[in-house]
Amino acid sequence: MDQIGLLLSGAALFLNGLMLLGKADEKNVGVFNLFVGAFQVIVPFYLIITSDQSNWILYERTAIFLFGLTYLYVGVTVLKGMQGTGLGYYSLWVSIIALVYVTVSLVHYHDVINAITWILWAFLWFLFYVLNTSKKDVSAYVGKVAIVQSWVTLTIPALFSLTGVWGNKDMYNMWGIVLVASIIYFVYLGYRLFFSQPQKMILK
């Protein structure tokens, strides 16, 4: 069931990216965020209740809450037309928590791919912090990062897991290359946004 949640998270993040790029209606995307957010809050409660409730089970299920509350917060903020400062500082908090998941992935689980994935998520949450608390317009950059991450960190891995091919060693190695390529792409986009000449700062 948690893989279904990842798949739906990919859909929500994809739509949020399109919304930031001005290609999807805010209210429509806000409603979908509420649907996915509610699912991502209800599901971990069910998974925890039906589990042995060991500390590592609780640790893993808590990650789902981080996504669910983010989507709920985005949905309410958009639909109510509120300023996003609260969402921004919540995103900063989550980005810091995500770094703990990076460390645990490496030290406890020895899972490099999961660690890189959490680094990407921490980066994205930090971008939502910047987007909602800074006067600098980074919507185009955040939108592109969100769309790419919706596929490479959520949608495709969830599909691979649901079809039973995610545990394959070759797939594991290949996905490491995909994630590193995504990071390089984000650095390239960031360079164009922050270091290019003003007339070249528009992300195409």
Side-chain angles (χ1 to χ4, degrees):
M1 188 174 291
D2 52 346
Q3 298 304 322
I4 297 174
L6 284 178
L7 184 66
L8 294 177
S9 289
L13 188 56
F14 178 67
L15 290 177
N16 287 336
L18 291 175
M19 177 181 67
L20 290 172
L21 293 175
K23 298 183 181 297
D25 178 72
E26 290 186 354
K27 292 188 180 298
N28 287 333
V29 175
V31 170
F32 190 76
N33 272 274
L34 293 181
F35 289 153
V36 176
F39 181 84
Q40 294 283 61
V41 169
I42 294 172
V43 165
F45 274 118
Y46 169 79
L47 294 175
I48 289 172
I49 291 172
T50 57
S51 72
D52 61 7
Q53 299 186 29
S54 64
N55 68 300
W56 288 116
I57 290 295
L58 295 176
Y59 168 84
E60 293 173 359
R61 301 311 178 227
T62 298
I64 307 176
F65 283 116
L66 298 178
F67 285 94
L69 292 175
T70 299
Y71 292 129
L72 284 176
Y73 210 157
V74 170
V76 171
T77 298
V78 170
L79 292 176
K80 292 295 185 179
M82 300 186 301
Q83 291 185 348
T85 52
L87 173 61
Y89 286 110
Y90 168 76
S91 298
L92 175 62
W93 178 83
V94 178
S95 70
I96 296 171
I97 300 300
L99 295 179
V100 176
Y101 279 82
V102 173
T103 304
V104 172
S105 295
L106 291 173
V107 175
H108 180 75
Y109 293 106
H110 308 292
D111 189 338
V112 176
I113 298 302
N114 199 43
I116 297 175
T117 300
W118 273 105
I119 289 173
L120 287 169
W121 287 338
F123 176 59
L124 182 59
W125 267 305
F126 181 78
L127 288 180
F128 275 108
Y129 157 69
V130 174
L131 177 68
N132 286 283
T133 60
S134 172
K135 294 182 179 180
K136 186 175 182 62
D137 184 9
V138 294
S139 298
Y141 180 70
V142 180
K144 287 179 179 290
V145 171
I147 289 174
V148 172
Q149 288 206 28
S150 74
W151 291 100
V152 302
T153 68
L154 293 165
T155 303
I156 298 177
L159 288 173
F160 283 157
S161 182
L162 289 169
T163 54
V165 300
W166 184 245
N168 183 279
K169 183 177 180 180
D170 292 335
M171 176 65 68
Y172 185 90
N173 293 333
M174 182 192 74
W175 213 248
I177 296 174
V178 170
L179 294 178
V180 171
S182 300
I183 292 174
I184 294 173
Y185 175 64
F186 298 153
V187 171
Y188 166 71
L189 286 179
Y191 172 79
R192 291 184 62 190
L193 177 62
F194 297 111
F195 299 104
S196 296
Q197 297 299 318
Q199 64 269 22
K200 297 180 180 181
M201 287 177 62
I202 299 177
L203 297 177
K204 297 180 180 180

